[in-house]
Amino acid sequence: FGSRHLDSAFRCDLPPRGGQATAIGMASAIAAKKKEWTACLAKSSGNPGRCEKLEKELASASKFAGVECCIPETVSLMRCTGSSRRAKGCAEEFLNMRECN
């Protein structure tokens, strides 16, 4: 199985680990948590700190499963675009996010 596209906005790479059924179960659990976190971020008015609990749960689950969900890159980009650094374009943050996805 190489990677699974978990939703239209984000991609978490899932390396083969255990049996296929185990990988599918982990992928769907992480996809659900990622979707919940993404929805929270969308409602957070650009403040990712409002979703810190979900972020930590997703980070823990993705680390356990060996899945990369671009959490630090997402948070960094949101913080940049919500700050005065936005005037400079947040190029580094956008590139990091692009490379992660």
Side-chain angles (χ1 to χ4, degrees), residues 18-84:
Q20 186 174 8
T22 303
I24 291 170
M26 284 191 296
S28 66
I30 291 169
K33 188 56 67 180
K34 180 78 171 192
K35 187 174 184 176
E36 188 178 1
W37 182 59
T38 301
C40 180
L41 291 175
K43 296 176 190 174
S44 73
S45 301
N47 181 2
R50 290 184 177 173
C51 306
E52 189 173 353
K53 180 178 181 264
L54 291 171
E55 177 187 330
K56 287 180 179 181
E57 291 171 2
L58 176 61
S60 176
S62 63
K63 183 178 180 180
F64 175 76
V67 174
E68 175 55 63
C69 290
C70 304
I71 297 166
E73 293 81 2
T74 301
V75 171
S76 179
L77 181 58
M78 285 189 75
R79 286 193 175 129
C80 183
T81 58
S83 73
S84 61

Side-chain angles (χ1 to χ4, degrees), residues 3-13 34 37 68-71 73-74 77 93-101:
S3 65
R4 294 189 54 85
H5 193 57
L6 297 179
D7 70 37
S8 61
F10 298 97
R11 178 180 161 182
C12 296
D13 291 324
K34 180 78 171 192
W37 182 59
E68 175 55 63
C69 290
C70 304
I71 297 166
E73 293 81 2
T74 301
L77 181 58
E93 290 81 2
F94 275 106
L95 286 174
N96 288 339
M97 186 70 187
R98 183 176 151 223
E99 288 179 14
C100 188
N101 275 320

